[in-house]
Amino acid sequence: MPTNVTAEYLAAEEEYRNAKTIPEKIRALEKMYALVPKHKGTEKLRLQIKRKLAELRKELERQRQQKKGGGYSLAVKKEGAAQIVLVGLPNVGKSELLKALTGVDVESADYPFTTTEPVPAMLNYKDVQIQLVEVPGLIEGAALGKGMGPQLLAVVRNADAIAIVVDLSEDPIRQMNILLQEFERAGIKVNKKKPKVQIRKTPSGGIVINGIENIIGDIEEVMKMLREEKIHSAEITVMEPVTLEEFADALDDSLVWKNAIIIANKGDAPGSKENYEKLVKTFGERFKIVPVSAKKRINLEAVKEAIYEIADIIRVFTKSPGEEPAYPPIALRRGATVQDVAERIHKDLVKNFKYARVWGRSVKFPGQRVGLDHVLEDGDIVEIHAR
């Protein structure tokens, strides 16, 4: 135990010792983690708290699944090029925003919990269909079991990206802090970099760590974590400098990493300008923030563009020799290759592939001849030649 912890930390530690339920223990540990001074002497303590939090989060989910036989699911089948969830506290205007962006006939009102189940709708933008899913309002304690919190957060975990909706007529910082805490409790890492650590379990040979010099901290702590995870034989590659806590995150297979934007709604309300400035000052470096008035249909095009960007998709046009590019384009995730295009057109195209010609930003000159592994860019035109 470090000697310079505060009285508040000791009180939180006492709260943890007296906690009876898993949610109570999680709340106490979160306080402890927030109150631990950050320096070399507290590194192991912070790691221990973080590992315990991860263990309790998994145990809470196991109990929930056993109690409800898997639980009531609110899962929404993915459609279109990407699935983006609209998430926020109750009564921030998510339904009005969904209606404004997609034209879907969804009930909206100036009181909380108008929406009781996830509502999907399609946004057509730049010739691409993007699925937007409005998630009913989250409340403080959602991840610990309040309301339908765990089921709603499961919808968020499954999405491709998150659009956080805040109400500029109320304190946006409080709203963000509640949501980010619930995301963290649910194992959702928002706009955070996933540690570049690859773990490949092997049948024998013990633990082999490539790039061990990239681990910032006591290697014995790393070996202890591996033993706790029952990993006794594996090849581990650490591709960039990581702290012990980041290595712990890489080991935790219950975590998901999601990109997110903030849609700052009710920008026409009294006090919204001041609240928007506070939001930008506090979260502007971590999030792209788009002000909007869904009710008055102000700045909707900027919202659509931000959603399109976070969907991380590209449009690829196909063509046959001697003909104009086909319409509409094929929507693919960024990083897609010529092989992905071929598979979309017909499964036999990959088997019979000879070469492709590409026009666009991914090639050095128009009509360049490329192979299946060529990575495409947005707006590329692809002409596939097969045997």
Side-chain angles (χ1 to χ4, degrees):
M1 171 67 66
T3 57
N4 59 344
V5 294
T6 62
E8 288 86 356
Y9 175 87
L10 294 174
E13 190 177 52
E14 181 66 19
E15 184 181 327
Y16 173 71
R17 280 196 291 266
N18 294 330
K20 302 292 188 232
T21 66
I22 291 179
E24 287 173 353
K25 290 178 180 179
I26 288 175
R27 289 190 188 97
L29 283 170
E30 285 174 343
K31 289 180 189 175
M32 290 166 62
Y33 186 79
L35 292 166
V36 175
K38 275 191 175 182
H39 56 72
K40 187 71 175 173
T42 63
E43 187 180 51
K44 290 184 180 179
L45 177 59
R46 290 174 62 83
L47 179 62
Q48 288 168 7
I49 296 172
K50 187 165 190 170
R51 295 281 290 163
K52 188 62 181 175
L53 275 168
E55 183 184 317
L56 287 172
R57 190 179 70 243
K58 291 177 185 176
E59 181 57 31
L60 187 64
E61 183 59 26
R62 278 194 294 268
Q63 288 185 8
R64 190 175 291 125
Q65 294 293 328
Q66 289 170 1
K67 184 178 179 182
K68 297 187 177 181
Y72 175 55
S73 174
L74 295 173
V76 178
K77 182 182 176 183
K78 288 186 177 182
E79 295 181 355
Q83 184 187 82
I84 313 296
V85 288
L86 303 178
V87 185
L89 300 187
N91 206 31
V92 296
K94 297 184 299 297
S95 296
E96 189 71 48
L97 182 62
L98 187 70
K99 185 190 295 185
L101 292 171
T102 68
V104 68
D105 186 17
V106 57
E107 183 182 358
S108 61
D110 290 329
Y111 52 83
F113 306 110
T114 309
T115 304
T116 56
E117 290 194 351
V119 178
M122 300 305 291
L123 168 66
N124 188 346
Y125 187 68
K126 291 187 176 180
D127 303 318
V128 172
Q129 293 284 330
I130 299 172
Q131 185 186 46
L132 302 183
V133 179
E134 179 197 350
V135 176
L138 291 176
I139 59 175
E140 195 166 3
L144 301 180
K146 280 193 177 181
M148 294 291 288
Q151 290 89 341
L152 298 178
L153 286 162
V155 176
V156 179
R157 284 178 63 92
N158 187 56
D160 295 311
I162 305 169
I164 300 172
V165 184
V166 300
D167 178 355
L168 287 179
S169 71
E170 303 288 345
D171 182 359
I173 309 306
R174 174 183 169 274
Q175 295 172 58
M176 284 299 299
N177 287 337
I178 290 173
L179 291 168
L180 292 177
Q181 176 176 258
E182 297 308 316
F183 291 153
E184 193 70 26
R185 285 172 170 171
I188 303 168
K189 299 287 185 180
V190 179
N191 280 12
K192 291 187 176 180
K193 189 178 176 184
K194 187 175 182 179
K196 288 190 176 180
V197 178
Q198 289 182 349
I199 301 167
R200 185 176 65 86
K201 294 181 182 180
T202 54
S204 60
I207 300 295
V208 176
I209 302 178
N210 303 314
I212 195 169
E213 68 279 0
N214 283 327
I215 297 175
I216 305 167
D218 187 354
I219 298 302
E220 184 48 44
E221 286 295 322
V222 170
M223 302 307 290
K224 181 182 176 183
M225 282 189 269
L226 292 170
R227 288 194 295 270
E228 288 173 352
E229 292 292 330
K230 296 181 171 54
I231 299 175
H232 304 294
S233 185
E235 182 179 3
I236 299 169
T237 304
V238 185
M239 292 170 279
E240 63 181 8
V242 294
T243 64
L244 293 178
E245 290 185 53
E246 288 169 338
F247 190 88
D249 282 345
L251 277 179
D252 190 349
D253 57 11
S254 71
L255 298 179
V256 293
W257 277 261
K258 302 292 178 182
N259 290 328
I261 57 171
I262 298 174
I263 301 176
N265 194 24
K266 305 187 185 180
D268 57 316
S272 62
K273 184 176 183 293
E274 293 77 10
N275 280 334
Y276 175 71
E277 289 171 356
K278 289 179 189 175
L279 187 65
V280 171
K281 185 178 179 181
T282 308
F283 292 103
E285 288 187 11
R286 183 174 169 188
F287 294 90
K288 180 182 180 70
I289 304 173
V290 187
V292 66
S293 170
K295 193 171 185 177
K296 294 191 176 179
R297 306 301 195 258
I298 297 172
N299 212 30
L300 292 180
E301 286 304 307
V303 174
K304 291 177 183 179
E305 179 65 26
I307 288 171
Y308 178 81
E309 287 175 5
I310 203 171
D312 209 25
I313 52 185
I314 61 171
R315 299 159 302 159
V316 175
F317 295 85
T318 60
K319 70 180 290 291
S320 300
E323 296 183 7
E324 291 297 309
Y327 182 88
I330 296 172
L332 299 163
R333 301 313 299 268
R334 189 168 299 281
T337 63
V338 169
Q339 180 169 335
D340 294 313
V341 175
E343 287 173 348
R344 278 286 193 93
I345 299 170
H346 197 284
K347 59 182 179 182
D348 289 341
L349 268 184
V350 175
K351 185 170 62 177
N352 299 319
F353 181 86
K354 285 173 63 179
Y355 64 90
R357 293 194 183 278
V358 175
W359 291 258
R361 292 190 297 169
S362 73
V363 290
K364 294 177 181 177
F365 55 87
Q368 182 177 330
R369 187 165 167 163
V370 300
L372 283 171
D373 60 352
H374 178 76
V375 178
L376 299 164
E377 292 284 348
D378 185 48
D380 278 359
I381 300 169
V382 179
E383 179 182 280
I384 294 177
H385 294 253
R387 295 181 183 87

